[in-house]
Amino acid sequence: MAKEEMLEFEGTVTEVLPDGNFRVKLDNDHEILAYAAGKMRKHRIRTIAGDRVTVEMSPYDLERGRINFRHRTGGPVPGQPRRGGGNFRRR
């Protein structure tokens, strides 16, 4: 038996929940529960409310999904220090 093809949708993170879960509102106005993919956890890619994301969903369960891509925004990345301009000097 062949594996079913995953469905991909785009949406916006509306709420950050505990344990790496997110509430995502898809472009087709459905609200789902999604979790961050393993590669996103491994590389510590931060996802906050308001981020545009790509979600993979199984055709068997259309209420849960996996966030596999966070689209870039124009602003700075939260939690990352800016380079240069600091008060400390490297030795």
Side-chain angles (χ1 to χ4, degrees), residues 35-36 68:
Y35 63 93
N68 64 350

Side-chain angles (χ1 to χ4, degrees), residues 8-77:
E8 279 198 358
F9 295 101
E10 302 235 345
T12 305
V13 175
T14 57
E15 186 180 0
V16 179
L17 302 171
D19 297 328
N21 289 315
F22 303 92
R23 180 93 40 211
V24 178
K25 185 172 181 83
L26 301 177
D27 290 343
N28 58 6
D29 291 335
H30 285 82
E31 189 101 11
I32 66 163
L33 186 65
Y35 63 93
K39 288 279 187 179
M40 290 184 67
R41 287 180 192 228
K42 179 182 175 186
H43 296 291
R44 294 190 178 110
I45 297 173
R46 303 275 187 208
T47 305
I48 58 173
D51 282 349
R52 294 284 300 163
V53 293
T54 301
V55 179
E56 283 185 346
M57 296 172 63
S58 167
Y60 299 111
D61 187 8
L62 298 176
E63 297 296 318
R64 296 249 329 150
R66 175 175 57 228
I67 298 173
N68 64 350
F69 187 77
R70 180 180 64 90
H71 298 278
R72 289 181 182 254
T73 58
V77 178

